[in-house]
Amino acid sequence: MTAQQVVRAVVAVPAVDRAPRAIGNLLRAADLPLEVEAVCSGDGIGLVLADGPHAGTVATLREAGVRFLACANTLSGRGLTADDLAEGVGVVPAAVWHLVRRQHEGWSFLPL
Amino acid sequence: MTAQQVVRAVVAVPAVDRAPRAIGNLLRAADLPLEVEAVCSGDGIGLVLADGPHAGTVATLREAGVRFLACANTLSGRGLTADDLAEGVGVVPAAVWHLVRRQHEGWSFLPL
Amino acid sequence: MTAQQVVRAVVAVPAVDRAPRAIGNLLRAADLPLEVEAVCSGDGIGLVLADGPHAGTVATLREAGVRFLACANTLSGRGLTADDLAEGVGVVPAAVWHLVRRQHEGWSFLPL
């Protein structure tokens, strides 16, 4: 139905609770090549803090290929910087724009 | 603007409350051919249980062409099986993957 | 990656609280031409009422190019009419169908 061979999904993570399990379910169920970005903003930023309780989860999902991104608007609003993020977590200027731009590029969108 | 003649929408149903009315509103307002799948997960699974209070609603929406799907992750997490579902309700391995794959295939996405 | 030169985003506004700041963040972060529609339904209708506390915010965002739309289902359900809306706010028959149709036309979708 589509010529695009790889499914790409940008996942909005506005809170921590459901995210790790939902992303795990997504990876396990995919029966096509799948690329995933998880964009953490608001309270979801707690998922990707270096000293947070979820560092192990994030490391495991990163090894499975998930790219984690933090919203710079959230970071500055909470007095945080990129130095507070777990290893390998990227930063986007605004989660809202990243989610819109990725869909424009053909990515699927999954809000958690 | 697009060569696709039929609009297809995959609806995420994570809770029962708003879903029946929202899906009804969607069907009534559509002025193009519309195909709808409602993917029930989490508490939304209550919408499609055979012995639940919404069996009549689901039957009516099914007659209007809506396809109902239950998330297998939710079923197993709640000790349910396909036998607990209302007539004609399908099962997908994971709601999250189904929502992503449908968008990859060109379907619109509507979270409720 | 796409031939479409303008990014178009349809924003679902089901509540007032986050919407003004999120839409402002979206406009500020966009580094491609961006067209935005904000579809207000449910409690989000409060954003676009003529006598509401957000009329100034809406006027500012309209000047920045955002098109505001109110859901007719919400209006009639609350005993409101188009006369109750701030200047320049349009009406769509159903928010749910507008969000689906816009995605069918290639617009990105951002729920707030």
Side-chain angles (χ1 to χ4, degrees):
Chain A
M1 184 168 290
T2 166
Q4 197 176 336
Q5 295 301 311
V6 177
V7 180
R8 294 185 167 88
V10 61
V11 181
V13 182
V16 171
D17 51 348
R18 296 184 58 235
R21 194 169 67 169
I23 296 172
N25 284 344
L26 178 61
L27 298 178
R28 272 188 296 277
D31 51 13
L32 292 172
L34 174 64
E35 183 177 348
V36 175
E37 283 184 351
V39 184
C40 302
S41 64
D43 289 342
I45 205 77
L47 187 63
V48 289
L49 295 181
D51 61 354
H54 306 285
T57 301
V58 167
T60 301
L61 290 171
R62 281 189 62 220
E63 282 165 23
V66 177
R67 189 180 318 138
F68 284 90
L69 299 168
C71 173
N73 285 329
T74 295
L75 291 177
S76 66
R78 299 182 180 217
L80 299 168
T81 73
D83 291 341
D84 297 303
L85 299 173
E87 189 187 333
V89 175
V91 176
V92 293
V96 284
W97 170 240
H98 192 75
L99 298 171
V100 164
R101 189 169 58 83
R102 284 305 197 202
Q103 291 178 72
H104 179 73
E105 294 169 352
W107 292 52
S108 299
F109 167 58
L110 183 69
L112 295 186
Chain B
M1 185 169 290
T2 167
Q4 198 175 336
Q5 295 299 313
V6 177
V7 179
R8 294 185 166 87
V10 62
V11 181
V13 182
V16 171
D17 52 349
R18 296 184 59 234
R21 193 169 69 168
I23 295 172
N25 284 344
L26 178 61
L27 298 177
R28 273 187 295 278
D31 51 13
L32 293 172
L34 175 65
E35 183 178 347
V36 175
E37 283 183 352
V39 184
C40 302
S41 64
D43 289 342
I45 205 78
L47 187 63
V48 288
L49 295 181
D51 60 354
H54 307 285
T57 301
V58 167
T60 301
L61 290 172
R62 279 189 62 221
E63 283 165 23
V66 177
R67 188 180 318 138
F68 284 90
L69 298 168
C71 174
N73 285 328
T74 296
L75 290 176
S76 67
R78 298 181 180 217
L80 299 168
T81 73
D83 292 341
D84 297 303
L85 299 174
E87 189 187 332
V89 175
V91 176
V92 292
V96 285
W97 170 241
H98 192 75
L99 298 172
V100 163
R101 190 170 56 85
R102 284 305 197 203
Q103 291 178 70
H104 179 73
E105 294 169 353
W107 291 53
S108 299
F109 167 59
L110 184 69
L112 296 185
Chain C
M1 185 168 289
T2 168
Q4 198 175 336
Q5 295 299 313
V6 177
V7 180
R8 294 184 167 89
V10 62
V11 181
V13 181
V16 171
D17 51 349
R18 295 184 60 234
R21 193 169 68 169
I23 296 172
N25 284 344
L26 178 61
L27 298 177
R28 271 188 296 279
D31 50 13
L32 292 172
L34 174 65
E35 184 177 346
V36 175
E37 284 183 353
V39 185
C40 302
S41 64
D43 290 340
I45 205 76
L47 187 64
V48 289
L49 295 181
D51 61 353
H54 306 285
T57 301
V58 167
T60 301
L61 289 171
R62 280 190 61 222
E63 283 164 24
V66 177
R67 189 179 317 137
F68 284 89
L69 299 167
C71 173
N73 285 328
T74 296
L75 290 176
S76 67
R78 299 182 180 216
L80 300 168
T81 72
D83 292 340
D84 296 304
L85 300 174
E87 189 187 332
V89 175
V91 177
V92 292
V96 284
W97 170 241
H98 192 75
L99 298 172
V100 164
R101 190 169 57 84
R102 284 305 197 201
Q103 291 178 70
H104 179 73
E105 294 169 352
W107 292 51
S108 299
F109 167 58
L110 184 68
L112 294 185

